[in-house]
Amino acid sequence: MGAPPAPLPSLAGSLADPSLWPRDAAGTGLLLVVRGRQACALARPEEWRTVREVLAEAGKRTPELRMPAEPVAP
């Protein structure tokens, strides 16, 4: 019997790991843009809150990961 498969990294862990980023981002950082966030936030506020927590955690782990502040709703 073989060893169990390694656990998959968390999304925050993956975003915070520059070795997993596109080659062009090496040394310059990565800008993460989420499109359609307002529709998602309105339709599924609890899930959107979780997404925001994951993105915030990734940003704390890796300063080179930049996420623009959320725009103010009209």
Side-chain angles (χ1 to χ4, degrees):
M1 217 183 225
L8 293 174
S10 69
L11 177 57
S14 296
L15 289 172
D17 184 352
S19 71
L20 299 175
W21 295 356
R23 206 172 284 145
D24 293 345
T28 60
L30 183 68
L31 174 66
L32 181 63
V33 177
V34 178
R35 294 177 188 227
R37 71 140 195 100
Q38 189 170 23
C40 177
L42 291 172
R44 297 175 181 247
E46 289 297 318
E47 290 178 23
W48 180 246
R49 211 174 341 272
T50 300
V51 169
R52 289 179 58 195
E53 291 170 6
V54 167
L55 296 177
E57 177 63 28
K60 287 179 196 173
R61 292 183 189 188
T62 307
E64 298 85 11
L65 178 64
R66 296 186 295 272
M67 291 165 281
E70 291 189 45
V72 176

